[in-house]
Amino acid sequence: MTDTSTRSLAALRQSLALAGLARGLAPVERVAFGAPSLDAPLEGGIARAALHEVYAAAGADCPAATGFAAALALRAAGTRPVLWVRQDVLDAEAGRLHPPGLAELGLDPAQILLVRVRDGEGALRAGVEAARCAALGAALIEPWGEPRQFDLTASRRLALAAEASGVLTLLLRVAAEPQPSAASTRWQVRALPSRAREAEAPGDPAFGLRLLRHRGGLGEREWRVEWSRDERCFRDRIGREGGRRDAAPLSRPLVSLSGERAPASAGVRRAG
């Protein structure tokens, strides 16, 4: 899409938004990323009262996808709780949530309400209840693989619940391929090497993002961003990926989904 077409589409959306305001419709509340390259084409970020999907580009990118989803939940939640629905099998396949890893992202582990479920049906039921709870800052639902319960009808149920409550609802898909859904946006995430700081200290987590789907009509595109724990926002990543290396690899997982097996009770509250 050319720059002229992009500007025309943005102007059309703005006109439609103004027309909605004229009819007394409430504007869409958005969760901003903080990175101008992302927020500008998304008209300020992603819709808060909506369902959004996050996929890992490959198996090795699961920690990056988890870190990205957790960072988005933090942006949406502020000081309110984040309810994280997680299928039990993920502990064996990817590792438990690690409170120090969450703290490294800037997320207070005590802010997490962890709901562990046995199967996909339990994940869906708990996820819908979480999406309906207006007291939450965000709901993060993490089933394993492709449970038959997570079909188009189920995604519509989640989307409607999020729209009614105003709770940002994130569906983190591990070991799954994108399928038709009612999600407002769909993201594919891959890990990028972090930039080394002074004395070769590990830098900020870095992500390669691809927008696979946007219900507002935005075409597929990619970004490279970094997450600032101190500022609690994403920042545009400037620099080349190929050729000369301008970054050092991460020294440890973003949210510790590796072989570390910290007790789930260490700072992360369980619900249910």
Side-chain angles (χ1 to χ4, degrees):
M1 184 178 290
T2 65
D3 292 341
T4 301
S5 300
T6 301
R7 288 195 297 269
S8 299
L9 183 57
L12 176 59
R13 289 177 181 151
Q14 185 176 12
S15 299
L16 291 173
L18 291 174
L21 287 174
R23 293 195 302 270
L25 299 178
V28 175
E29 184 179 357
R30 299 189 179 275
V31 176
F33 288 85
S37 68
L38 267 166
D39 290 332
L42 292 170
E43 298 180 340
I46 58 174
R48 178 182 295 275
L51 172 68
H52 305 273
E53 291 178 327
V54 177
Y55 285 82
D61 297 304
C62 287
T66 304
F68 172 73
L72 265 182
L74 173 60
R75 291 282 296 173
T79 59
R80 288 182 295 169
V82 175
L83 196 145
W84 196 319
V85 178
R86 203 161 193 260
Q87 198 169 332
D88 280 339
V89 68
L90 281 158
D91 285 359
E93 296 291 341
R96 294 180 179 177
L97 294 182
H98 189 42
L102 294 170
E104 281 297 316
L105 281 175
L107 185 62
D108 181 0
Q111 192 176 354
I112 301 292
L113 298 173
L114 178 61
V115 176
R116 300 182 60 178
V117 296
R118 181 175 300 178
D119 51 27
E121 182 179 357
L124 179 58
R125 269 196 309 216
V128 171
E129 291 303 316
R132 288 173 177 164
C133 182
L136 295 173
L140 204 165
I141 308 161
E142 188 180 7
W144 168 258
E146 299 178 343
R148 59 180 179 80
Q149 292 87 358
F150 280 81
D151 55 12
L152 180 58
T153 300
S155 71
R156 285 175 178 160
R157 197 177 308 154
L158 287 168
L160 289 173
E163 290 172 10
S165 67
V167 174
L168 180 79
T169 302
L170 299 167
L171 186 56
L172 176 58
R173 302 307 305 269
V174 179
E177 293 296 326
Q179 301 174 0
S181 76
S184 178
T185 64
R186 177 181 297 145
W187 301 85
Q188 185 186 76
V189 183
R190 63 186 177 93
L192 296 181
S194 65
R195 301 174 187 273
R197 296 173 178 168
E198 294 182 5
E200 296 300 314
D204 293 327
F207 308 90
L209 306 178
R210 173 177 290 180
L211 180 64
L212 300 178
R213 182 175 186 269
H214 187 272
R215 292 186 68 185
L218 191 63
E220 184 173 320
R221 58 185 66 193
E222 297 185 8
W223 295 268
R224 292 180 300 158
V225 297
E226 296 174 334
W227 170 255
S228 172
R229 177 190 65 182
D230 296 333
E231 298 176 11
R232 294 191 173 189
C233 71
F234 292 94
R235 297 182 299 197
D236 293 324
R237 181 182 174 99
I238 309 298
R240 295 181 297 174
E241 287 299 322
R244 178 179 59 84
R245 284 185 60 188
D246 62 353
L250 284 170
S251 62
R252 62 184 299 160
L254 300 176
V255 189
S256 187
L257 293 182
S258 66
E260 296 186 68
R261 295 294 188 268
S265 59
V268 178
R269 291 184 291 167
R270 294 192 187 188

